[in-house]
Amino acid sequence: MELFEEIRRGYAAGETVQGLAKKHGVHRRMVRQAIASAIPPERKKHERHQPKIGPLKDAIERMLEADRQAPRKQRHTAHRIWTRLCNEHPELPVAEVTVRQYVRKRKQELGGRMVFVPQSYDWGQEAQVDWFEAVVKLEGEPRKLQFFAMRSMASGDAFHRAYTHATQQALLEAHELGWYRRNCLTPVPEAGDLAALNEQLQSACVANRNRTIQGKEMTVEKASEHERATLLPLAEEGFPYEEVIYPLIVDGHGRVKVKTNWYSAPLSPGWRAAAVVGPLEIEIRHDNRCVARHQRCYGRGHQILNLEHYLDVLEKKPGAMAGSTPLQQWRQAGRWPKCLDRIWGQLEQRLGKSAGTREMITLVRAGSVSGWGRLVAAVNEALRLGVADAAAVLHILNMPDPEERRCHAIALAKELAEFERPMPVMDEYDLLLKNTPGGIQ
């Protein structure tokens, strides 16, 4: 504004536009702008063309938008966004620094960042142990879990394991062995169950050993091997961390009460049993042998029932199976697909309710031995071939090569036809009955 004022005063004194431009070292256009207005026009900011990041902006915005719903510690860092872009859009290569600049610009609108003081550690000096909370999807449903994290501060080698609750037992079990959460739990991971999730965590821990931490000269794996010489030897004997509860009395519903919940056991009412309580699992034992295993429930007053534990009773009382609580729990857990109801209905239609249910129980027993997934596949195959017979399903289940079975579906259909026999007609034998017209007197 001072320059514009000097130009305006010179022009009022009679100086020419060309003379003022030469005197102040500016373009004649600026001189004319100063003569027209004492306030300089707003300078246009040059928008730099971004051919690399441009096609990826939508993907980045989706990740940042998803972070608004994710837990604070499971949100994307700029590096994590860049690694995802490299994996999900390999056809659009972009430099990490370009992504960092764009993400930094977008995150500046949300607030600043904390400052941390760098630390250095000697070999075997210190390990960081902590619990953190994260959200995962188990069987498609979001679930909040507690993660144990143990990391050597010198080598960077780490171990992680997921639990439903951060209990002392879980802490002890995890010992009898911020980077991980950002890179392995972002975005929210998915798994079928807790065991499958922990397998993913273990694989990620092993894969972590191939990376080189910023500022280090060797990989985590080599650093860990170097650090082992400075560590104490492993304990020769493990320490018991499970809690043993004895005695437990089996009630009339085939259950034992462990802490605050009821768990099924295939034992007769009145028998005594013991429970070995771990952080994730409860084991029911009788005569020093395991008779049942259940996922531990941390609620109060819940029933955790396994349908397989009631098969002996249901064979004697088949009418109780349809409305049984164990079957209902299997349905809710997704262990009883619709194909089983279809073949169960066809078995009851052919043989009657009691006999058809007993045939269904036979199939359930086979699934507990050969594998539930294989049984469901065999039932689907039998339904596809139009065969509704337990013996036919077992025949399919015991066939060694399912791929070959698909190739020879026609031959198999003929092979299974022998199981589809019509019910016998007893009209002629009825004539032999006494007091029957035409029969023997």
Side-chain angles (χ1 to χ4, degrees):
M1 294 183 66
E2 293 178 359
L3 176 61
F4 269 44
E5 185 63 27
E6 290 180 11
I7 293 175
R8 289 172 65 84
R9 284 198 297 264
Y11 184 76
E15 297 185 48
T16 63
V17 172
Q18 185 174 2
L20 289 169
K22 186 175 182 180
K23 176 182 177 180
H24 295 285
V26 297
H27 197 275
R28 294 189 299 274
R29 181 173 55 254
M30 181 175 290
V31 175
R32 294 189 179 95
Q33 290 175 347
I35 295 172
S37 173
I39 301 177
E42 185 178 354
R43 301 182 67 176
K44 295 183 179 179
K45 187 178 292 185
H46 175 66
E47 293 290 340
R48 183 180 176 185
H49 185 55
Q50 298 176 312
K52 295 290 187 180
I53 197 71
L56 297 171
K57 286 184 178 180
D58 289 342
I60 296 175
E61 293 297 331
R62 286 194 297 270
M63 295 180 196
L64 296 178
E65 181 63 27
D67 282 349
R68 297 166 66 100
Q69 306 297 328
R72 183 175 61 85
K73 293 186 177 181
Q74 282 182 264
R75 295 173 183 172
H76 290 77
T77 61
H79 175 76
R80 180 56 179 157
I81 290 177
W82 175 71
T83 57
R84 284 194 61 187
L85 292 175
C86 292
N87 294 331
E88 298 173 10
H89 302 278
E91 73 282 1
L92 298 173
V94 63
E96 182 177 359
V97 64
T98 305
V99 175
R100 285 185 178 275
Q101 291 173 352
Y102 180 78
V103 173
R104 185 186 304 116
K105 176 184 175 183
R106 294 290 292 115
K107 286 190 174 183
Q108 282 177 351
E109 303 174 0
L110 306 177
R113 299 181 61 185
M114 297 178 61
V115 177
F116 299 91
V117 179
Q119 301 287 305
S120 298
Y121 302 91
D122 294 331
W123 297 112
Q125 174 190 357
E126 186 174 337
Q128 184 184 64
V129 176
D130 197 7
W131 290 95
F132 64 88
E133 190 177 84
V135 175
V136 301
K137 286 187 177 181
L138 298 181
E139 297 181 345
E141 295 294 330
R143 188 171 177 185
K144 189 179 293 184
L145 298 177
Q146 303 295 325
F147 287 80
F148 171 87
M150 184 175 184
R151 178 176 182 265
S152 168
M153 304 308 293
S155 66
D157 202 2
F159 172 76
H160 295 78
R161 190 169 177 83
Y163 294 90
T164 55
H165 289 72
T167 62
Q168 183 183 30
Q169 288 178 321
L171 178 70
L172 295 175
E173 183 193 61
H175 271 80
E176 189 171 307
L177 289 143
W179 178 91
Y180 186 88
R181 177 174 54 234
R182 295 191 301 271
N183 290 269
C184 299
L185 298 180
T186 305
V188 174
E190 298 187 32
D193 52 26
L194 196 58
L197 175 64
N198 279 321
E199 290 181 4
Q200 294 182 19
L201 301 184
Q202 184 174 357
S203 299
C205 290
V206 174
N208 170 56
R209 294 174 177 169
N210 296 323
R211 75 183 182 102
T212 302
I213 300 175
Q214 187 175 5
K216 304 287 186 178
E217 296 181 352
M218 62 180 72
T219 63
V220 171
E221 183 177 12
K222 291 183 178 179
S224 179
E225 292 176 357
H226 181 75
E227 188 178 33
R228 284 174 190 160
T230 65
L231 300 177
L232 294 174
L234 295 175
E236 295 182 359
E237 296 183 3
F239 51 87
Y241 54 85
E242 301 94 348
E243 179 182 1
V244 179
I245 302 176
Y246 180 85
L248 301 173
I249 307 300
V250 181
D251 70 356
H253 297 279
R255 309 170 306 175
V256 292
K257 188 175 184 180
V258 182
K259 292 187 175 292
T260 59
N261 298 292
W262 297 90
Y263 298 86
S264 66
L267 301 174
S268 299
W271 286 17
R272 293 192 176 195
V276 182
V277 183
L280 296 177
E281 192 176 70
I282 286 183
E283 183 179 288
I284 310 298
R285 301 186 66 86
H286 177 70
D287 286 344
N288 293 324
R289 65 183 181 89
C290 176
V291 295
R293 282 191 178 93
H294 295 279
Q295 183 177 341
R296 182 175 178 179
C297 176
Y298 283 88
R300 298 183 66 87
H302 295 282
Q303 295 186 92
I304 298 87
L305 309 178
N306 189 337
L307 181 62
E308 295 173 357
H309 298 163
Y310 295 91
L311 296 182
D312 289 341
V313 178
L314 290 174
E315 279 189 336
K316 300 175 182 177
K317 301 178 180 179
M321 182 170 175
S324 64
T325 301
L327 179 59
Q328 182 184 16
Q329 291 187 0
W330 273 28
R331 292 185 193 277
Q332 294 174 350
R335 290 193 61 184
W336 191 272
K338 293 183 179 179
C339 65
L340 299 183
D341 283 325
R342 288 177 56 196
I343 198 165
W344 188 2
Q346 293 183 18
L347 288 172
E348 287 185 341
Q349 188 176 4
R350 290 185 61 245
L351 306 174
K353 285 196 172 184
S354 295
T357 300
R358 289 191 176 95
E359 289 281 283
M360 195 66 213
I361 292 174
T362 301
L363 296 182
V364 175
R365 288 188 185 278
S368 64
V369 175
S370 301
W372 200 247
R374 290 188 59 201
L375 173 66
V376 172
V379 169
N380 279 319
E381 183 73 2
L383 292 173
R384 188 184 68 83
L385 296 171
V387 179
D389 187 274
V393 175
L394 295 178
H395 182 78
I396 297 174
L397 181 64
N398 296 326
M399 291 187 68
D401 189 0
E403 293 297 330
E404 184 179 354
R405 183 173 70 247
R406 294 190 185 95
C407 297
H408 302 85
I410 297 178
L412 179 60
K414 295 180 179 179
E415 185 178 347
L416 295 177
E418 61 181 281
F419 295 105
E420 290 293 326
R421 297 179 179 176
M423 297 297 293
V425 179
M426 308 298 295
D427 295 345
E428 295 183 358
Y429 291 93
D430 290 342
L431 297 177
L432 299 175
L433 297 177
K434 190 176 181 180
N435 300 325
T436 301
I440 300 175
Q441 301 296 325

